[in-house]
Amino acid sequence: DREQLRLKLQEENIESRPLWKPMHMQPVFEGALAFTDGTSEEMFARGICLPSGTAMGDEEFARVVKIVKENL
């Protein structure tokens, strides 16, 4: 469960967040034409953004991977 993983990462002082809400689900686009197949909605419901970036070292990366694997 995404929220369970997010909270576990938070306990380890690792910031994460749910995926961005798809554009066609944003209030400003309510009623606008959208060509979807359910993929973006499913990803939004289940997906999580993990820390990343060029400044992230191997040790930090391994720490995040370890916690994710332990909580799958």
Side-chain angles (χ1 to χ4, degrees):
D1 162 91
R2 172 185 69 186
E3 186 61 9
Q4 199 171 15
L5 175 57
R6 189 190 69 75
L7 291 172
K8 186 62 177 173
L9 290 164
Q10 183 176 316
E11 285 176 19
E12 299 294 329
N13 201 30
I14 298 172
E15 188 176 345
S16 64
R17 62 170 183 74
L19 287 182
W20 292 102
K21 184 181 278 191
M23 295 299 289
H24 71 282
M25 294 174 69
Q26 301 285 342
V28 70
F29 294 109
E30 186 176 342
L33 182 61
F35 299 92
T36 64
D37 65 0
T39 301
S40 59
E41 292 90 342
E42 183 179 342
M43 290 177 68
F44 175 61
R46 297 177 41 200
I48 190 168
C49 292
L50 298 172
S52 63
T54 57
M56 189 173 185
D58 291 341
E59 190 174 303
E60 294 167 296
F61 178 79
R63 187 168 152 248
V64 173
V65 169
K66 179 179 182 280
I67 293 167
V68 171
K69 283 183 173 182
E70 290 173 351
N71 290 277
L72 287 179

